[in-house]
C-alpha cells in the first residue's frame, strides 16, 4: 500500500522553494463568476518561472539528490513543461540535465528547455514513449530519472500551489485543475484536505486523453490504447501508481472536457482575462464554462501553464471562435454570371458579418455547367448572428453547405 504524502511534506517543500519559485497571483474572473453565480478566481501558474507549476516539483526532487547523484546528472521525459522545470531546477542546483521529448513537441518548449541548459533528445510520438527512452538512458548512464509526476517529492512540490491558494482565498470551496499523470491534483488534494477537509478538489482531463475515469472505475491504473488532444501537457496514457493512490483517496471527482470546450476556454481567457494559457492549463476553466461539474463557490481554477506554441494559438483561437459560433466556414453554390459574387458579398455585408477569406471555384466536378462554388470564411458576433446570416442566405436562394455535409 502506497503511503500518502502528508501536509508536513508539502510544508517542507515550500521551505525548499523559498526564493526559487514565485508566489503566483490569484486573479478574479468576471466571466466565470457570472457563469457560476459566485466568486471565481484564477491561480496563475502560467506566469510561474519556466511558465508552469512544474518547476516546483522538479526543484524539490532534484535539490534532495546527494552530491554523488548530482554528479551523475538527471534525465527526464516531457512534452515541454516538466522539461523546462527540470532544466531550470538542474541549473539552479548545479547538475546536468538530459531531457527526452516527443518528436512533435512544440518548438518553443524545445527551445526554452535548451535555453535553460538541458540537452534535448527528440524520441517517440508521445510522452509515454519518451518516458521509456529516458528510463533506458538512466539505466545505461546512471543518470537519476526525474519522473514528471509519480514521485513523492514531486507531489509535495506541486502541493505548494494549494498552500498559496488557501492563503490567498481563505473561503475557497472548490479547487479545480487539469490532470495528466496526476502530480498536481495529488499535491493540491494532500494540502487542501489536510487544512480544509470541506474543500472539494476536482480534476479535469481532455476527453480524448482521459486515463483516470476508466482507471478509477477499474480500481487500478489502466493504460489507454490510444490518445490525442491539443492539451499536450496532460496527454498521458496511464496514471502513475503513486498518483493514482492519491487521486482515488483524496480527489472528489475527475471529469472530462472536449477539444471544443478547451478552445472556448482558451479564447475566453485570452479575450476576457488577458491570460496567455496553454490548452492543458485551461481545462479547469473549460469544465466550469461547459458545466460538466457542479461546484460550490468560491471556486479557484488553476491555470497550470502558459507555454503555448504561437502557431497552435492561432489554430486554437480560430477553433474557439468557430466553437463559439463567431467564425464560419462554408461554401455557397450559385449561378456563374457577372455580379453574382458581388451580390452574395453584399448580402453578407447587409447582415454586418465580416468576410475574412473568399475562394472562387469553377473546377469542382460536382458543379453543374454554369454553376460556381464560393468558399467563404466569415466572422460573426455569435451563434444567433450566425444562424440569422445563414437563414437569410438560404432564403435568398443560395445553396449553403458546411464542411462534412453532402
Amino acid at each position: 500500500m502506497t503511503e500518502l504524502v502528508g501536509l508536513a511534506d508539502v510544508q517542507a517543500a515550500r521551505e525548499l522553494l523559498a526564493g526559487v519559485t514565485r508566489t503566483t497571483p490569484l486573479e478574479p474572473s468576471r466571466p466565470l463568476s457570472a457563469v457560476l453565480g459566485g466568486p471565481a478566481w484564477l491561480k496563475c501558474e502560467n506566469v510561474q518561472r519556466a511558465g508552469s507549476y512544474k518547476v516546483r516539483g522538479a526543484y524539490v526532487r532534484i535539490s534532495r539528490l546527494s552530491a554523488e547523484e548530482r554528479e551523475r546528472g538527471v534525465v527526464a521525459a516531457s512534452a515541454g513543461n516538466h522539461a523546462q522545470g527540470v532544466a531550470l531546477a538542474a541549473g539552479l542546483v548545479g547538475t546536468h540535465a538530459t531531457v527526452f521529448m516527443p518528436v512533435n513537441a512544440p518548438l518553443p518548449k524545445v527551445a526554452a528547455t535548451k535555453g535553460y541548459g538541458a540537452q534535448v533528445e527528440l524520441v517517440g510520438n508521445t510522452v509515454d514513449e519518451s518516458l521509456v527512452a529516458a528510463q533506458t538512458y538512466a539505466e545505461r548512464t546512471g543518470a537519476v530519472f526525474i519522473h514528471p509526476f509519480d514521485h513523492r517529492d514531486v507531489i509535495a512540490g506541486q502541493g505548494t500551489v494549494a498552500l498559496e491558494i488557501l492563503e490567498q482565498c481563505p473561503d475557497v470551496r472548490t479547487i479545480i485543475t487539469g490532470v495528466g499523470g496526476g502530480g498536481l491534483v495529488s499535491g493540491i488534494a494532500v494540502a487542501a484536505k489536510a487544512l480544509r477537509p470541506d474543500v472539494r478538489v476536482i480534476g479535469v482531463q481532455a476527453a480524448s486523453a482521459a486515463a483516470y475515469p476508466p482507471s478509477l472505475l477499474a480500481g487500478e491504473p489502466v493504460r489507454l490504447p490510444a490518445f490525442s488532444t491539443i492539451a499536450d501537457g496532460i496527454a498521458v496514457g496511464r496514471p502513475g501508481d503513486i498518483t493514482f493512490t492519491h487521486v482515488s483517496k483524496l480527489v472528489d471527482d475527475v471529469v472530462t472536457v472536449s477539444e471544443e470546450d478547451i478552445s472556448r476556454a482558451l479564447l475566453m481567457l485570452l479575450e476576457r482575462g488577458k491570460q496567455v494559457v496553454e490548452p492543458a492549463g485551461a481545462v479547469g476553466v473549460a469544465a466550469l464554462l461547459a458545466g460538466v461539474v457542479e461546484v460550490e463557490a468560491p471556486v479557484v481554477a488553476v491555470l497550470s501553464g502558459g507555454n503555448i506554441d504561437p502557431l497552435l494559438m492561432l489554430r486554437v483561437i480560430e477553433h474557439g471562435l468557430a466553437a463559439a459560433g463567431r467564425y464560419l466556414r462554408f461554401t455557397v453554390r450559385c449561378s456563374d454570371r457577372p455580379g453574382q459574387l458581388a451580390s452574395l458579398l453584399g448580402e453578407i455585408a447587409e447582415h454586418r458579418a465580416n468576410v475574412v477569406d473568399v475562394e472562387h471555384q469553377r473546377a469542382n466536378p460536382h458543379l453543374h455547367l454554369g454553376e460556381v462554388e464560393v468558399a467563404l470564411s466569415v466572422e460573426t458576433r455569435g451563434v444567433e448572428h450566425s444562424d440569422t446570416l445563414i437563414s437569410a442566405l438560404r432564403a435568398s436562394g443560395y445553396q449553403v453547405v458546411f464542411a462534412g455535409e453532402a
Side-chain angles (χ1 to χ4, degrees):
M1 181 67 68
T2 301
E3 181 183 353
L4 298 183
V5 172
L7 177 61
D9 298 311
V10 179
Q11 292 171 330
R14 189 177 198 183
E15 292 181 10
L16 279 175
L17 292 169
V20 175
T21 57
R22 61 174 299 195
T23 299
T24 52
L26 192 73
E27 298 288 348
S29 174
R30 277 186 168 181
L32 282 181
S33 296
V35 169
L36 300 175
W41 302 82
L42 304 174
K43 178 58 173 171
C44 300
E45 284 295 294
N46 55 313
V47 297
Q48 182 57 265
R49 293 187 69 176
S52 84
Y53 72 94
K54 286 286 191 177
V55 67
R56 296 174 183 262
Y59 185 83
V60 172
R61 172 79 172 96
I62 295 172
S63 68
R64 287 175 170 167
L65 297 179
S66 67
E68 188 271 334
E69 287 173 323
R70 295 182 189 184
E71 183 67 26
R72 301 201 311 260
V74 299
V75 60
S78 166
N81 287 346
H82 180 60
Q84 292 174 71
V86 166
L88 173 58
L92 293 172
V93 171
T95 187
H96 175 70
T98 301
V99 179
F100 287 80
M101 304 178 74
V103 294
N104 58 352
L107 292 179
K109 293 185 178 182
V110 174
T113 303
K114 291 179 178 178
Y116 286 121
Q119 178 182 331
V120 174
E121 302 288 344
L122 300 178
V123 177
N125 294 311
T126 66
V127 175
D128 285 4
E129 292 176 8
S130 299
L131 276 169
V132 173
Q135 289 168 328
T136 301
Y137 177 89
E139 293 169 1
R140 187 178 75 250
T141 65
V144 179
F145 178 63
I146 307 299
H147 201 285
F149 50 83
D150 210 31
H151 193 281
R152 293 177 58 84
D153 287 342
V154 173
I155 292 171
Q158 320 307 27
T160 59
V161 173
L163 296 182
E164 293 177 14
I165 290 173
L166 293 172
E167 291 171 355
Q168 294 167 321
C169 184
D171 58 343
V172 63
R173 300 291 298 175
T174 307
I175 301 175
I176 188 166
T177 187
V179 178
L184 176 60
V185 76
S186 294
I188 286 175
V190 166
K193 294 298 184 180
L195 293 170
R196 285 278 309 282
D198 59 308
V199 171
R200 293 191 73 216
V201 178
I202 309 296
V204 185
Q205 294 203 288
S208 53
Y212 266 97
S215 296
L216 292 169
L217 190 62
E220 61 182 8
V222 173
R223 183 175 297 280
L224 296 176
F227 53 95
S228 177
T229 174
I230 59 171
D232 61 280
I234 55 172
V236 178
R238 181 188 183 278
D241 293 327
I242 300 174
T243 52
F244 177 79
T245 300
H246 284 75
V247 171
S248 61
K249 291 182 179 295
L250 299 175
V251 175
D252 294 284
D253 200 1
V254 177
V255 299
T256 64
V257 290
S258 69
E259 302 296 281
E260 288 72 24
D261 294 334
I262 298 171
S263 296
R264 280 193 289 265
L266 284 168
L267 184 63
M268 186 279 284
L269 287 166
L270 183 63
E271 192 173 35
R272 301 289 303 279
K274 316 307 176 191
Q275 297 284 348
V276 176
V277 183
E278 63 187 277
V283 295
V285 172
L288 296 175
L289 290 176
V292 298
V293 61
E294 291 188 7
V295 297
E296 184 179 352
V299 178
V300 174
V302 181
L303 305 182
S304 58
N307 297 312
I308 183 169
D309 186 332
L311 292 177
L312 175 61
M313 180 181 286
L314 289 174
R315 295 196 296 272
V316 166
I317 289 173
E318 182 178 295
H319 192 81
L321 287 169
R326 293 168 55 190
Y327 188 85
L328 299 177
R329 280 184 170 176
F330 57 90
T331 61
V332 174
R333 292 182 183 181
C334 53
S335 59
D336 188 11
R337 57 183 174 80
Q340 183 65 62
L341 179 60
S343 177
L344 169 63
L345 296 180
E347 180 148 357
I348 293 173
E350 285 179 13
H351 285 83
R352 305 188 68 81
N354 181 46
V355 176
V356 178
D357 190 43
V358 179
E359 185 178 355
H360 210 238
Q361 298 180 0
R362 293 183 176 86
N364 190 328
H366 299 291
L367 294 174
H368 299 298
L369 187 64
E371 194 175 40
V372 68
E373 187 174 69
V374 182
L376 294 153
S377 298
V378 179
E379 291 177 338
T380 69
R381 295 190 298 275
V383 174
E384 185 176 345
H385 187 204
S386 297
D387 291 344
T388 300
L389 172 64
I390 298 304
S391 296
L393 291 175
R394 285 173 171 160
S396 296
Y398 292 107
Q399 192 176 352
V400 179
V401 179
F402 289 93
E405 293 183 347

